[in-house]
């Protein structure tokens, strides 16, 4: 029996696990994530067509990721105000039309503006699609749901060099954007069919002050990183970064006392959610730099063709896919803390080893190293994506999802900008001039050291952090539904904040402790009896 819909959900989504809808959302995320890094291998071709330095083309990637990051907060409000189906379909349409504009661009300015429009469409897809999926997912199915939503972030960055290299080599860089036209049309048709049709909340108010401060803060931070990588001799990078930090600090102070804040900052009371914003942010920054560094090192440092570089980077994709069936069993067996520590340490080792690659290194060894890097990256991504929601009450899910999506995009943009900054930093005159790969070696070593900061944060997690999600025995047994349909207390947007009904065998896990991440293992449901509906 399907789960009951929740009349209090402002966007009209319905509770109940829907794999087809999750797959559609994942597919749209894949398009958005792919276009965030697909230009890496096409940068030399675009620079040649526009008659500009290759380093200048990096602004198109940063502008896209920046637009996605600053657009996510307002997108969440739009979804609740006007309805998820309307905003989700509009996002797909904007993204698709902007892709066509990118393909028709004749200069860097037009391409950058088109990428900004493309990012605006991508920003609307991120929070809306995730909320539609997560609102109908009980915690016992959270690992399964996030498995659908995580793979685009894993596969797109490593497939981008291969896809971009093949299209650029055999066709032209314009086809990088033209392929989005049929994909976007198919996604639009599927969204009309799968996303429920219900009105939004006309009374939903927008926190204009919080919105402005958050947008300025995120934008200034990423802009500061971009300026530091492209114009290190100017003081504007530091000024922009400081202004961004000040704006975000002001946003936090404002939203702590605002009557209708843009975000509910109580989500940070959960230690598992804070892990996503601290060690998880560092993890995202370092991981996001690799798909940017590897193709450039192979092409600029080793003299490979775009297609050869893209094919080698695809080894990371193989590692992602190969370990995926084992990711959930590993998390259930060893817990989130152990797997996060393992993933970050192993990733740091692979970064350090990448610094010692040379054109003479056997390609088989390179391939094996990158496969391992992809496997470790998959474990870390899956663990962070699931543990962040482990102790979040459904009433705070919208804020948690929006904050998480913003931090993820900020981390991705920061990773690319930081990688470009490191390349420029290690390209100084003191380095060996005859080794074109030397700047990339320094960048990989720096990223390996930075990754260890994520390890330190994971070591501070409680031993049983996220146990409500990772422990198998949290699911009802002996006839109780496993798909969440018979667990409305875990599926609705407000059901879990209510006390357990009299006579129910369901433990009151809906009332989190003041520090949910610090709580011991939740009690096990009584054997042989299903939770009361």
């Amino acid at each position: 029996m399907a789960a009951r819909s929740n009349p209090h959900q402002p966007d009209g989504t319905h509770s109940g696990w829907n794999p087809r809808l999750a797959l559609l959302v994942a597919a749209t995320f894949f398009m958005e994530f792919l276009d965030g890094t697909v230009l890496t291998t096409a940068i030399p071709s675009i620079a040649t067509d526009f008659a500009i330095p290759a380093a200048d083309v990096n602004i198109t990637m940063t502008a896209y990721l920046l637009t996605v990051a600053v657009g996510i907060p307002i997108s969440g409000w739009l979804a609740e105000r006007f309805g998820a189906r309307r905003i989700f379909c509009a996002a797909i349409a904007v993204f698709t039309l902007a892709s066509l504009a990118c393909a028709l661009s004749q200069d860097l300015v037009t391409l950058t503006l088109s990428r900004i429009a493309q990012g605006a469409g991508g920003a609307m897809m991120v929070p809306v699609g995730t909320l539609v999926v997560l609102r109908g997912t009980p915690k016992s199915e959270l690992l399964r749901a996030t498995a659908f939503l995580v793979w685009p972030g894993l596969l797109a960055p490593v497939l981008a060099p291969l896809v971009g290299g093949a299209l650029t080599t055999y066709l032209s860089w314009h086809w990088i954007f033209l392929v989005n036209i049929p994909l976007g049309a198919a996604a639009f048709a599927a969204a009309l069919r799968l996303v429920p049709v219900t009105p939004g909340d006309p009374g939903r108010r927008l926190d204009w002050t919080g919105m402005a401060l958050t947008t300025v803060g995120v934008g200034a931070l990423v802009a500061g990183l971009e300026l530091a990588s492209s114009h290190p001799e100017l003081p504007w990078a530091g000024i922009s970064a400081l202004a961004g930090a000040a704006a975000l600090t002001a946003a936090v102070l404002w939203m702590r006392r605002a009557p209708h804040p843009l975000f509910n900052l109580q989500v940070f009371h959960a230690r598992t959610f804070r892990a996503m914003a601290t060690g998880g942010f560092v993890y995202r920054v370092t991981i996001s730099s690799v798909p940017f560094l590897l193709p450039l090192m192979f092409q600029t440092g080793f003299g490979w063709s775009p297609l050869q570089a893209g094919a080698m980077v695809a080894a990371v994709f193989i590692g992602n896919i190969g370990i995926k069936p084992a990711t959930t069993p590993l998390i259930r067996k060893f817990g989130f803390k152990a797997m996060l520590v393992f993933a970050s340490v192993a990733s740091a080792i692979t970064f350090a080893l990448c610094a010692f690659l040379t054109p003479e290194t056997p390609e088989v060894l390179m391939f094996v190293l990158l496969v391992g890097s992809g496997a470790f990256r998959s474990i870390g991504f899956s663990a962070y994506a699931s543990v962040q929601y482990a102790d979040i009450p459904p009433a705070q899910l919208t804020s948690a999802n929006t904050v998480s999506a913003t931090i993820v995009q900020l981390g991705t943009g920061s990773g690319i900008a930081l990688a470009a900054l490191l390349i420029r930093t290690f390209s100084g005159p003191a380095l060996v001039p005859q080794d074109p790969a030397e700047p990339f070696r320094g960048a990989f070593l720096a990223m390996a050291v930075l990754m260890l900061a994520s390890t330190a944060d994971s070591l501070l997690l409680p031993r049983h952090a996220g146990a409500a999600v990772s422990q198998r025995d949290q699911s009802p047994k002996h006839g109780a539904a496993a798909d969440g349909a018979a667990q409305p207390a875990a599926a609705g947007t407000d059901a879990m904040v209510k006390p357990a009904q009299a006579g129910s065998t369901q433990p009151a896990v809906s009332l989190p402790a003041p520090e949910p991440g610090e709580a011991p293992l939740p009690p096990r449901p009584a054997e042989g009896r299903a939770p009361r509906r």
Side-chain angles (χ1 to χ4, degrees):
M1 184 174 65
R4 294 172 297 175
S5 62
N6 190 328
H8 299 292
Q9 292 179 196
D11 65 354
T13 58
H14 299 279
S15 61
W17 168 239
N18 187 344
R20 291 191 302 166
L21 181 57
L23 187 61
L24 168 64
V25 172
T28 59
F29 287 5
F30 181 80
M31 290 195 302
E32 186 241 310
F33 293 148
L34 183 69
D35 276 50
T37 53
V38 73
L39 282 185
T40 303
T41 51
I43 284 177
S45 298
I46 296 174
T48 300
D49 282 359
F50 292 169
I52 58 176
D56 292 351
V57 184
N58 184 57
I59 186 62
T60 62
M61 299 177 61
T62 304
Y64 174 86
L65 295 171
L66 172 62
T67 304
V68 172
V70 301
I72 285 175
I74 186 64
S75 300
W77 176 82
L78 288 172
E80 295 189 344
R81 172 64 178 81
F82 298 102
R85 183 176 187 266
R86 183 178 301 173
I87 297 302
F88 193 58
C89 291
I92 297 173
V94 170
F95 185 90
T96 305
L97 294 175
S99 297
L100 179 61
C102 289
L104 299 177
S105 299
Q106 300 296 316
D107 53 56
L108 183 62
V109 174
T110 305
L111 179 60
T112 303
L113 292 175
S114 300
R115 291 281 284 172
I116 291 174
Q118 199 181 33
M124 289 190 290
M125 290 191 294
V126 172
V128 180
T130 303
L131 276 176
V132 167
V133 174
L134 294 183
R135 276 180 170 167
T137 304
K139 291 190 177 182
S140 61
E141 293 288 340
L142 192 57
L143 279 172
R144 183 184 175 195
T146 54
F148 280 83
L149 302 179
V150 163
W151 69 264
L154 288 170
L155 304 187
V158 294
L159 280 182
L162 179 60
V163 174
L167 293 176
T168 303
T169 300
Y170 295 110
L171 297 171
S172 70
W173 63 266
H174 305 82
W175 283 92
I176 290 174
F177 302 106
L178 290 175
V179 296
N180 286 334
I181 308 304
L183 295 177
F188 185 85
L192 290 176
R193 179 178 181 180
L194 294 176
V195 180
V197 185
T198 48
D201 179 10
R204 179 72 176 177
R205 298 178 59 182
L206 177 61
D207 177 13
W208 289 98
T209 302
M211 181 69 226
L213 291 173
T214 303
T215 301
V216 171
V218 173
L221 278 177
V222 177
L225 289 170
E226 169 61 25
L227 289 172
S229 63
S230 58
H231 302 286
E233 70 282 358
L234 299 177
W236 299 112
I239 295 175
S240 179
L242 289 176
L248 289 178
T249 301
V252 170
L253 295 176
W254 165 262
M255 284 186 279
R256 290 180 63 181
R257 60 182 181 84
H260 302 283
L262 183 66
F263 305 131
N264 184 350
L265 298 181
Q266 291 183 0
V267 295
F268 287 102
H269 291 175
R271 177 63 179 92
T272 48
F273 187 82
R274 293 201 308 273
M276 176 278 305
T278 52
F281 178 78
V282 175
Y283 189 87
R284 174 77 61 169
V285 169
T286 52
I287 288 295
S288 299
S289 70
V290 175
F292 177 80
L293 289 172
L294 280 176
L296 289 181
M297 183 176 74
F298 290 149
Q299 293 180 76
T300 305
F302 294 1
W304 290 6
S305 68
L307 183 59
Q308 185 181 6
M312 181 57 70
V313 177
V316 182
F317 158 78
I318 296 176
N320 288 338
I321 292 297
I323 197 64
K324 198 60 185 169
T327 300
T328 296
L330 285 171
I331 293 175
R332 292 195 185 277
K333 180 176 179 61
F334 298 104
F336 283 108
K337 178 179 179 177
M339 297 315 300
L340 287 174
V341 171
F342 169 76
S344 58
V345 171
S347 296
I349 293 174
T350 60
F351 293 169
L353 293 177
C354 284
F356 294 97
L357 296 177
T358 67
E360 290 74 32
T361 303
E363 293 189 5
V364 174
L365 292 181
M366 292 188 192
F367 191 86
V368 172
L369 173 61
L370 297 185
V371 168
S373 178
F376 305 141
R377 144 198 192 99
S378 180
I379 294 173
F381 265 57
S382 299
Y384 274 118
S386 301
V387 75
Q388 63 181 340
Y389 298 113
D391 301 307
I392 295 296
Q396 299 176 5
L397 183 59
T398 299
S399 292
N401 177 69
T402 307
V403 171
S404 172
T406 303
I407 291 176
V408 163
Q409 291 299 330
L410 180 58
T412 303
S414 299
I416 294 175
L418 181 58
L421 173 61
L422 289 173
I423 293 173
R424 186 179 294 272
T425 300
F426 289 105
S427 298
L431 301 175
V432 181
Q434 62 267 26
D435 185 3
E438 187 71 19
F440 301 97
R441 305 188 198 286
F444 272 114
L445 288 176
M447 286 298 180
V449 174
L450 182 61
M451 175 61 82
L452 295 179
S454 174
T455 305
D457 182 78
S458 297
L459 287 171
L460 297 176
L461 282 171
R463 179 183 177 186
H464 298 301
V469 172
S470 63
Q471 296 298 310
R472 252 184 227 282
D473 59 0
Q474 298 306 306
S475 302
K477 299 182 179 181
H478 299 293
D483 60 356
Q487 303 177 58
T493 58
D494 60 357
M496 288 184 65
V497 299
K498 299 177 181 179
Q501 297 181 15
S504 173
T505 61
Q506 178 80 6
V509 297
S510 58
L511 301 177
E515 290 290 336
E518 307 288 344
L521 278 170
R524 182 171 179 169
E527 296 284 349
R529 298 180 64 185
R532 181 186 178 103
R533 295 180 183 272

